[in-house]
Amino acid sequence: MNYELLCNFINNGELVIIPTDTVYGIIADATNEEAIRKVYFAKHRSFSKPLIIMVSSIDMLRRYVKDISSVEQKLIEKYWPGRLTILFKKNNEISNLLTNGGEYIGIRLPDNKDLCALMNMLNKPLISTSANISDTMTITDITMLEDELKNNISYIVDGGVLTDLPSTLVKVEDGNIIFLREGELASKIRKDFQ
């Protein structure tokens, strides 16, 4: 993967498609409002639907959230890096465009060395959303990409065929774990946190 080239595109507010640890994702600078708008436009996604972001470390996470509860900390220690997205209370470093003005942002630390290396080089989090037009099939092979979407993408990395396994999405409220999307980890988390 050409990190330098990808960094140039992302730093210029452009969109790229790369393999993630789940499916092919549209990746963009989570701190750039122009890039955030481009993601919504490319996907035909309603601004009322929040986007999730990825971080490369707990240090990076702390720069963008208000706090980390003890239950969230246990989830992080056990399941990160991996296919677990946690809703955290965001701080003012996170644009309201990402959350439709809401106070929570979904964040994941991916189990993908390329993505983490890219974020470390950029020193910023990345938007990560499936590389498809909203309400259509997720993309596990770049031959499935729609031309309409590709027209809004500056660069595509072909990583072969991926398995279609979405991340588990949770929110911690009053010490309880609420599952907003089951994904593959839900049953394991239920068992571990009984």
Side-chain angles (χ1 to χ4, degrees), residues 2-12 117-118 121-122:
N2 188 331
Y3 297 125
E4 203 169 315
L5 186 63
L6 287 168
C7 282
N8 286 339
F9 283 124
I10 292 166
N11 276 326
N12 287 328
L118 192 57
M121 281 181 79
L122 291 160

Side-chain angles (χ1 to χ4, degrees), residues 1 46 52 62 71 82-83 87-89 112 120 130 137-138 149 174 185 189:
M1 196 175 285
S46 163
I52 73 158
R62 289 184 193 282
V71 175
R83 294 175 170 161
L87 284 189
F88 293 94
K89 274 194 178 174
N112 181 301
N120 286 335
S130 54
M137 258 174 61
T138 53
L149 181 68
D174 301 321
L185 288 175
I189 293 169

Side-chain angles (χ1 to χ4, degrees), residues 5-27:
L5 186 63
L6 287 168
C7 282
N8 286 339
F9 283 124
I10 292 166
N11 276 326
N12 287 328
E14 296 178 56
L15 312 185
V16 298
I17 289 176
I18 62 177
T20 72
D21 54 339
T22 52
V23 293
Y24 276 92
I26 297 173
I27 305 298

Side-chain angles (χ1 to χ4, degrees), residues 59-122:
D59 284 343
M60 188 179 284
L61 171 72
R62 289 184 193 282
R63 287 176 9 212
Y64 297 96
V65 301
K66 283 189 173 169
D67 54 41
I68 300 170
S69 72
S70 59
V71 175
E72 289 163 349
Q73 184 63 41
K74 284 176 188 160
L75 285 167
I76 287 167
E77 286 168 8
K78 194 148 184 68
Y79 301 105
W80 276 13
R83 294 175 170 161
L84 176 66
T85 301
I86 303 171
L87 284 189
F88 293 94
K89 274 194 178 174
K90 74 177 189 72
N91 65 22
N92 293 333
E93 297 295 314
I94 294 287
S95 167
N96 285 326
L97 272 180
L98 282 169
T99 64
N100 187 33
E103 62 178 331
Y104 288 91
I105 180 79
I107 304 180
R108 183 159 63 91
L109 197 162
D111 189 13
N112 181 301
K113 289 183 176 69
D114 287 328
L115 279 173
C116 288
L118 192 57
M119 285 186 276
N120 286 335
M121 281 181 79
L122 291 160

Side-chain angles (χ1 to χ4, degrees), residues 37-54:
R37 286 190 182 90
K38 282 182 183 175
V39 171
Y40 278 103
F41 176 79
K43 282 181 66 84
H44 299 272
R45 185 182 177 97
S46 163
F47 279 94
S48 65
K49 288 183 166 180
L51 289 165
I52 73 158
I53 67 170
M54 298 182 300

